[in-house]
Amino acid sequence: MRFCFIPPLCAIGILSFLPQTLGYSIHQPSRPQHWLELRDIEHNSTKSGEAPPPSLIIDTFQDPLHNDLGFWHGPGEDLNIHHEPGLFRLFPIDPDQNFHTQFNNRGCYSLLPWQNQFLHVVFEGTDQFTVSLNEHNAECSPDRAPFPGVPDSVQASRYVMRTRLDGSNGFQSSQDRSTLASTQHDIKRRALRDSCEDDEDENENENDDDDQSPASPTRNELYIPLNHFKIDQRRVVSISFNGFYTNETITLRRIEIVPSVPPPAPANNYFGIPEKLPSGQLVLRCSVPNSFAFGIDDGQPQFAQEVMKILDEEDVRVTFFVVGAGLRDSTTNFTRFYREMMDKGHQVALHSNTHPKMEALPTMEMIDDEIVRTLRVFKDRLSLTSRYFRPPFGTVGARMRQQLAKHIEHPFIVNWSVDVEDWLWANTSTPEKQLDAFHRGVSRGGNLAVMHFLNPSTVQYLRHFIRHVKSAGFKIMRIDQCLADPFSPVL
Ligand SMILES: *[C@@H]1O[C@H](CO)[C@@H](O)[C@H](O)[C@H]1NC(C)=O
Ligand SMILES: *[C@@H]1O[C@H](CO)[C@@H](O)[C@H](O)[C@H]1NC(C)=O
Ligand SMILES: *[C@@H]1O[C@H](CO)[C@@H](O)[C@H](O)[C@H]1NC(C)=O
Ligand SMILES: *[C@@H]1O[C@H](CO)[C@@H](O)[C@H](O)[C@H]1NC(C)=O
Ligand SMILES: CC(=O)N[C@H]1CO[C@H](CO)[C@@H](O)[C@@H]1O
Ligand SMILES: [Zn+2]
């Protein structure tokens, strides 16, 4: 199951600011039904000297299991779906849920022939979700970690073109546009749409404006320039929809790449492509050759000194991701502990203020609040500014990435490629499965780990994890060092 709940730890008062840590949810990399191999087609879209086709139809949802390219499409993280020929209806309840449609499952797919074109999605229902273009891993292999690789993501609501279908207005010429586009109404609308601060209320108002007569039928489409996705577009694996922050349904009808966008017109409220907003850089792996890093999150004060002792004895430096509220709570002793860890050369980095799934928060203000408060407590208690952030629960979405980039210059959002799965096994009769999980991640090529010090068994295995990685020839370092950050301490 995706949601593993470990209630007994909740009783420990010291952790009451972190209740959700114990309901840790995670993507298991080996779940086979995500990436069913359905056909053995070798696509080669990079043939030089050939003009790219004017458009690429990716998915019209004719088949429940595969898209128009012949590859798998379907849900992840227990997302409820309903298929009819021509549509997929999604019933999300959590931002970690996702729907993928794949370009390829065995290798990488190049979108370079379409690099100046637009991702076009026809859908119905809420626009409160994230659209991701997912890079494959370096080996283009689903058996290597991480899989999938790094996505870049945009906020769907910024890219929605709503076209009235009541026949009154078709698309109009660009002359019409230039005379009409300067109305106050339009300027206000554009300002709202382009602002990264537009919160739900504003969005709703905007929608209400659009539907002056509620029954007026509209066609909802996304037009997203492919170059708004800052990934290596020579090795794409899938498009996905995730980061749901309402429980409203979404009906997907068509996904394709098209050469142009309809011109602004009254019927589409003068739709124009918004600016690409800066987005935090997502990291799943260390980039320095032969490096390995431990990112250690949260923790129980009672295990802190033991963790310090093991790291001292093994003489390795790690990165701690620390929740702001825990620093503020003097009964945890965390301020003194992390100050000492910083003195010893460890990296201390951000993990939100109160540990929510940030992308699930209904408003931008609430996301900002988590970021601003944790930055403040880091400055007050640790005299520290950090550009490194680990999202609670690994929950990543476009709004969270954008808001981080608003408050922190060039933030790193640090997920992982090795998961100790302490959230799953630490409090079971088979805690040694944490060792299996660690070994599996390392053997698949993962080199950036996630673990916590919430449980005695995990703390007990830490020394083994370190020695395993050392004996495999890796050099253990902080995450900023393993990413060759020029501001990190010299090794
Ligand atoms: C794909 O196209 C490239 C460039 O033309 C070519 O070198 C390569 O052999 C092709 N691969 C396949 C599998 O067709
Ligand atoms: C969505 O549904 C889930 C499960 O029923 C619930 O826990 C969650 O609070 C709901 N979210 C919203 C935004 O309504
Ligand atoms: C608090 O942390 C400091 C720094 O690690 C340590 O020296 C001290 O013993 C700790 N105090 C308690 C009560 O654990
Ligand atoms: C980050 O990690 C979480 C937990 O494993 C996973 O669900 C999520 O897909 C990851 N995000 C990315 C962008 O890799
Ligand atoms: C350390 C810890 O939390 N142990 C708990 C693991 O789960 C069992 C069964 O729920 C509890 O009895 C333990 O206290
Ligand atoms: Zn955490």
Side-chain angles (χ1 to χ4, degrees):
M1 272 309 287
R2 204 46 32 125
F3 297 96
C4 162
F5 197 64
I6 312 168
L9 289 181
C10 299
I12 299 162
I14 220 85
L15 276 178
S16 54
F17 60 89
L18 278 183
Q20 295 178 78
T21 307
L22 309 165
Y24 212 84
S25 119
I26 206 161
H27 175 91
Q28 277 173 295
S30 55
R31 224 188 178 206
Q33 66 266 41
H34 278 206
W35 307 98
L36 268 182
E37 197 177 304
L38 288 163
R39 291 191 189 173
D40 243 0
I41 301 171
E42 270 305 324
H43 276 270
N44 194 345
S45 58
T46 51
K47 288 194 182 109
S48 54
E50 263 179 45
S55 67
L56 174 70
I57 295 171
I58 298 163
D59 210 335
T60 58
F61 305 100
Q62 300 307 316
D63 183 280
L65 283 179
H66 58 259
N67 62 23
D68 296 48
L69 301 175
F71 292 106
W72 180 80
H73 61 192
E77 308 286 330
D78 304 320
L79 172 64
N80 277 324
I81 53 162
H82 167 79
H83 178 260
E84 284 168 26
L87 66 86
F88 249 120
R89 191 157 293 136
L90 317 183
F91 302 92
I93 55 167
D94 186 284
D96 286 333
Q97 295 182 318
N98 56 64
F99 183 91
H100 278 268
T101 188
Q102 279 187 298
F103 288 99
N104 199 339
N105 52 352
R106 318 201 70 188
C108 289
Y109 194 90
S110 175
L111 284 180
L112 285 188
W114 295 276
Q115 61 184 320
N116 296 316
Q117 301 198 12
F118 302 85
L119 177 63
H120 177 223
V121 179
V122 181
F123 74 105
E124 288 142 31
T126 184
D127 58 13
Q128 312 218 318
F129 60 90
T130 288
V131 182
S132 300
L133 189 64
N134 299 294
E135 190 179 290
H136 212 319
N137 55 37
E139 297 90 349
C140 299
S141 164
D143 302 324
R144 304 299 287 168
F147 178 70
V150 174
D152 196 11
S153 307
V154 300
Q155 186 187 343
S157 59
R158 300 184 68 243
Y159 294 84
V160 179
M161 181 175 98
R162 287 191 185 78
T163 309
R164 290 206 174 87
L165 297 176
D166 50 21
S168 56
N169 280 301
F171 298 131
Q172 301 195 352
S173 71
S174 52
Q175 282 110 316
D176 293 337
R177 175 205 170 189
S178 57
T179 48
L180 291 166
S182 59
T183 62
Q184 281 298 87
H185 184 68
D186 185 52
I187 288 165
K188 175 171 162 260
R189 179 175 302 284
R190 276 162 187 274
L192 275 179
R193 191 179 51 231
D194 292 350
S195 161
C196 52
E197 283 178 341
D198 52 350
D199 67 18
E200 297 339 294
D201 295 335
E202 284 167 328
N203 272 335
E204 268 166 31
N205 290 343
E206 194 178 359
N207 297 352
D208 291 349
D209 278 3
D210 287 346
D211 300 317
Q212 274 144 1
S213 73
S216 149
T218 60
R219 175 180 160 98
N220 293 346
E221 295 158 273
L222 303 175
Y223 282 99
I224 308 168
L226 278 184
N227 63 24
H228 281 204
F229 296 105
K230 306 291 182 199
I231 64 166
D232 184 346
Q233 298 204 359
R234 290 167 305 177
R235 6 185 218 105
V236 177
V237 62
S238 68
I239 290 168
S240 61
F241 302 85
N242 59 291
F244 308 103
Y245 55 103
T246 72
N247 285 354
E248 292 165 49
T249 62
I250 298 157
T251 303
L252 297 173
R253 289 190 175 272
R254 188 179 183 85
I255 303 174
E256 63 187 341
I257 293 171
V258 296
S260 62
V261 178
N268 65 27
N269 283 302
Y270 306 100
F271 173 77
I273 299 287
E275 290 297 299
K276 162 75 178 171
L277 293 178
S279 172
Q281 185 183 338
L282 192 63
V283 175
L284 309 179
R285 283 180 54 83
C286 292
S287 56
V288 168
N290 266 337
S291 65
F292 193 100
F294 287 89
I296 305 181
D297 305 356
D298 307 319
Q300 285 238 35
Q302 69 198 79
F303 302 127
Q305 299 298 318
E306 176 68 10
V307 168
M308 185 190 307
K309 181 164 163 268
I310 294 167
L311 298 176
D312 282 351
E313 287 170 4
E314 296 296 325
D315 192 24
V316 293
R317 245 57 66 204
V318 301
T319 299
F320 289 98
F321 291 99
V322 178
V323 168
L327 289 174
R328 237 179 255 113
D329 179 350
S330 60
T331 65
T332 64
N333 195 36
F334 275 157
T335 295
R336 287 185 63 195
F337 173 67
Y338 286 117
R339 276 189 172 275
E340 181 167 2
M341 297 314 267
M342 287 162 63
D343 291 345
K344 287 177 185 286
H346 299 283
Q347 182 184 9
V348 172
L350 309 164
H351 193 41
S352 84
N353 188 47
T354 65
H355 209 272
K357 287 191 175 183
M358 305 245 294
E359 195 65 26
L361 296 173
T363 67
M364 292 294 199
E365 283 73 13
M366 291 169 82
I367 296 176
D368 282 350
D369 198 58
E370 285 289 329
I371 299 167
V372 169
R373 282 177 194 267
T374 193
L375 289 173
R376 198 180 301 145
V377 72
F378 265 56
K379 190 161 250 173
D380 291 350
R381 301 291 162 114
L382 303 176
S383 314
L384 183 65
T385 54
S386 176
R387 292 157 58 219
Y388 289 79
F389 173 80
R390 177 164 274 170
F393 310 99
T395 302
V396 177
R399 296 183 310 149
M400 192 262 310
R401 291 179 70 168
Q402 286 164 197
Q403 295 314 96
L404 275 172
K406 225 176 96 183
H407 294 285
I408 302 170
E409 204 177 339
H410 301 306
F412 291 96
I413 299 169
V414 186
N415 254 33
W416 49 83
S417 43
V418 177
D419 185 354
V420 170
E421 296 182 356
D422 45 351
W423 55 275
L424 183 56
W425 305 115
N427 194 30
T428 67
S429 58
T430 53
E432 67 278 6
K433 294 215 170 159
Q434 294 172 87
L435 294 170
D436 299 342
F438 186 81
H439 296 158
R440 191 170 59 239
V442 175
S443 69
R444 285 192 177 145
N447 62 10
L448 203 171
V450 62
M451 63 173 281
H452 308 77
F453 56 98
L454 291 167
N455 202 287
S457 65
T458 316
V459 174
Q460 186 206 315
Y461 294 140
L462 175 56
R463 197 185 295 275
H464 174 92
F465 297 151
I466 293 169
R467 291 188 177 172
H468 178 82
V469 165
K470 279 180 179 170
S471 67
F474 290 102
K475 182 154 173 47
I476 297 171
M477 57 188 81
R478 301 159 38 138
I479 290 171
D480 54 357
Q481 291 172 324
C482 91
L483 296 172
D485 183 336
F487 298 103
S488 65
V490 176
L491 282 165

